[in-house]
Amino acid sequence: MKIAVLGATGWIGGTVAAEVQQRGHELVALVRDPASFTLSAEARRADSLDPTSLEQALDGVELLIASIGGRASSRHDMVAESARILLTVLPRTGVKRLLWVGGAGSLEVSPGVTLLSQPDFPDEYRDEALAQGQALAVFRDADTPVDWTFVSPAAEIFPGERSGHYRLGGDQLLTDAEGNSRISVQDYAKALVDEAEAGQYPRRRIGVAY
């Protein structure tokens, strides 16, 4: 499969791009500066806020994985806007499936109560979590032919090892026996590419954790 990763020079996006390649798929890295991409794969210039560049960069692509956090630029408003633009652009390109690297803040710790609403939610991640929640609302409210899947990581995503094991959930925060919600970025990337291959959860949010 020819899979594009938007944001392939970022921490999560780069890990996902490596997983795509390791699994034998044809990787297309969509980045602002193709010269900055270090994997041996095709890199194309694209900006998530520029519909023209996206449309050109997605030529021949079968599936898109978008990793847009806004943290590096502190432009958190770009997250939901990028979601809107992608849902407009993708039907014009022939790309029918979109996997979105989501956030954990909108996951529920109890019915109707989100992780973000908890008093101990870290302030440094609050704006990004709000932005990802807004992006999820864009997907859920959209009348679109695109089969999107919003993939939320656990509350803690960290650089670790690829164990190959994880659990999938829905809108509820997944925790382990000790009450922790964790996933390595490597296993999160595996879960994303597993869903890219299987296509089991169209038009849904799923959560990934140990």
Side-chain angles (χ1 to χ4, degrees):
M1 193 181 337
K2 193 167 188 176
I3 299 176
V5 177
L6 179 60
T9 54
W11 175 54
I12 295 178
T15 307
V16 172
E19 178 74 17
V20 167
Q21 217 172 28
Q22 289 165 11
R23 300 274 281 271
H25 298 288
E26 184 178 353
L27 170 66
V28 178
L30 305 186
V31 293
R32 286 192 177 92
D33 177 13
S36 66
F37 188 69
T38 57
L39 292 179
S40 56
E42 182 181 3
R44 302 177 183 175
R45 191 191 74 80
D47 185 323
S48 66
L49 299 176
D50 179 359
T52 301
S53 75
L54 286 170
E55 193 165 351
Q56 293 172 347
L58 288 167
D59 181 52
V61 168
E62 297 171 69
L63 180 146
L64 173 64
I65 300 174
S67 179
I68 301 164
R71 186 187 304 175
S73 64
S74 297
R75 278 207 57 195
H76 299 291
D77 62 308
M78 71 178 287
V79 179
E81 183 60 22
S82 295
R84 292 188 190 94
I85 290 171
L86 285 172
L87 290 179
T88 300
V89 168
L90 290 182
R92 303 201 297 260
T93 68
V95 178
K96 297 179 180 179
R97 293 181 59 208
L98 166 65
L99 270 63
W100 182 273
V101 173
S106 57
L107 290 166
E108 295 182 349
V109 295
S110 60
V113 180
T114 65
L115 179 64
L116 177 59
S117 70
Q118 299 305 289
D120 57 348
F121 192 90
D123 285 340
E124 61 267 32
Y125 300 123
R126 186 170 300 278
D127 288 345
E128 185 177 5
L130 283 167
Q132 285 288 357
Q134 291 164 357
L136 178 59
V138 167
F139 288 117
R140 286 178 164 167
D141 293 343
D143 181 9
T144 176
V146 177
D147 280 337
W148 56 268
T149 304
F150 188 101
V151 187
S152 288
E156 180 186 354
I157 183 168
F158 59 93
E161 296 181 356
R162 186 185 186 279
S163 72
H165 301 292
Y166 59 85
R167 291 185 296 149
L168 289 180
D171 287 325
Q172 290 71 43
L173 181 72
L174 291 173
T175 58
D176 60 20
E178 286 74 43
N180 299 311
S181 178
R182 306 177 77 243
I183 191 74
S184 75
V185 68
Q186 291 85 353
D187 283 328
Y188 175 75
K190 180 186 186 303
L192 270 170
V193 181
D194 285 349
E195 173 57 18
E197 293 176 346
Q200 290 185 305
Y201 302 101
R203 301 170 189 263
R204 286 182 59 184
R205 186 256 288 281
I206 58 174
V208 182
Y210 292 132

